[in-house]
Amino acid sequence: MSVWRFFRRDKTKAESGTPPQTMTVSDGESGAEALLGAAPGSALLLDHEGTIVWANARQCNELGKSLADIRGLSLTDVHCSTAAETLELALARCREGGGSWEGVVACDGVGRLRHLGTSIHPVSWCAARWMLMKHDVSRLQLQAASAQRLSRTIESRMARLPGVVFRLRQSPGGGLSFDYLGPGFESQTGLSRQSALEDVEVVLSRLDEDAREQLTLALAQSLVSLTPWHLDITLGDAQETVAEGQRWFEARGTPQRFDDGTVVWDGLLLDVTQRKQAESRVAKLVSTDVLTGVMNRRAFLEAGARVLARLRRRGEPAVLAMLDLDHFKSLNDAYGHAAGDMVLKAFADTCRLSLRPYDLLARIGGEEFLVLLGDVHAEDAWDILERLRSNVEASTLKVDRRALKVTVSMGAICVGQDESLDMAMRRVDGALYDAKRAGRNQLKGLLPEYERDNLALSKALASSTIYKEIEMALSEDLRIPKPCPNCGSYNMRVPSTKNPDEKVHCASCQTYVCLYAEAEEMIEKTPKSESEELIEKAMNRDK
């Protein structure tokens, strides 16, 4: 029988209708001594007013008094003033609510400060109505205080670290949560530490879609191989750039698996914003056209491939457009290169204002530009590009006190789901050629017939047996897609002027092979398949 049930047994019998057993004071003292005499701490029985009716031997020894001397005393008589005040308040609360109370009471009545783990419970036994039990927890209190001081010291030192220490947990069901976040979390990320501990989505929701996918993949690989993971992430606004205040962090964690399937990663979050800003400045220098400030060809190819991959994962359409300023060479000859540079800058500014903020714009050489429109259908893309063309036509540039007007020819296509950016650029070049041939200052492409014919050409290029030859023929340093009669290589270069009387040079054997007119005849004599006829059409667009 527990102590609690022992002291409640008479009341229980009364409630059930069984007459309680008559108990004398001596019987009550014997029962209390039997139950509480060997208790690990001090024990007191109090009447309804809080007067002591019984104390165990340990309590008597602590006070240096006999039970007879203690009986009839109040809590104030046997405790220091601080402890007595706390116990009286606790007892009053128990009387009001009829419940129990537990807590730690500080007591300095024996020459040293002690901390007593104290509990008060209601009982119904003889004259006793309350049972008060105490045990010394001073050592535990000192250990707890020492642990708290150590914890504060560690926290203060961790707050001075250049990063944030964290522990990320993944449950057997796959749910993520933070077990710990270092004290520098709020100052470095601007997020609430407590909110992040309660809900990991406070942090994960600040990652963009690509970063979240990369984190999921990194954690999955680390979970399987039990090797550390490492990732650069940003917790800033997705619309911000590094230069505008976006915060970058280098996150890394080391995994530990437990028997129940739980995995935790102890890791560090380092603020690498300054490094990313430096990298961004360098990347901008190598990826930006110096004159116009838009992307150069190399940057466009890299960014465009990423954008197309993301759009295809989402099943969203894309449109590629090629833009060419009309009669730009004549303008350069008439007004000078300085005027030409002003025109290119003004044109680039007009493009920025006419396009959407997330569209890609690049200058790929001379007066030619490329635009990649994402998540847009042909009809909407037509409206965007036509607005751009109209804005260019309506603009006026003053050069040497003279008003200068320019126009732009455009070709645009819908990029196929399985089509590479390189192949799409070759197709859109044909649409631009059609715009020039039709009289310039207009947009061609994005029509069903045009798309159907050019997609057929794209498939023919991809499946052709002379695909490598065509790639060389369409490269920047145009090559003739036939082997050199001297060395057999495919390095016969087309003369830059394409004059029939100029000689064709082989870059492999370093000899002049024939006249360009003879090379054209050599190409014409070779029978062509239906696919190669389409390819030949593409090759001759510049003639």
Side-chain angles (χ1 to χ4, degrees), residues 259-299:
D259 293 338
D260 64 351
T262 299
V263 178
V264 299
W265 287 274
D266 295 306
L268 187 65
L269 202 64
L270 291 172
D271 190 335
V272 293
T273 303
Q274 290 185 351
R275 190 192 78 194
K276 284 293 183 178
Q277 288 174 342
E279 291 176 357
S280 177
R281 288 192 292 269
V282 173
K284 187 174 182 179
L285 290 175
V286 301
S287 64
T288 303
D289 178 66
V290 178
L291 178 63
T292 61
V294 301
M295 287 182 179
N296 58 23
R297 183 187 187 96
R298 175 174 172 269

Side-chain angles (χ1 to χ4, degrees), residues 426-427 429-430 433 454 457 461 464 466-475 478-482 490 492 494 498 516 519-520 523-524 528 531-543:
R426 295 175 185 175
R427 284 207 300 126
D429 185 59
Y433 176 78
N454 279 270
L457 173 61
L461 282 169
S464 173
I466 60 168
Y467 179 65
K468 291 184 179 179
E469 299 175 11
I470 297 305
E471 278 199 331
M472 288 190 294
L474 295 177
S475 62
L478 295 174
R479 296 176 174 87
I480 296 175
K482 294 298 175 183
Y490 289 86
M492 291 194 300
V494 175
K498 296 184 181 179
Y516 182 51
E520 286 186 313
I523 295 173
E524 291 297 332
K528 300 178 180 63
S531 295
E532 290 170 343
E533 288 288 351
L534 287 170
I535 296 167
E536 187 68 21
K537 177 183 176 182
M539 292 172 57
N540 291 330
R541 278 173 177 163
D542 288 335
K543 293 183 180 179

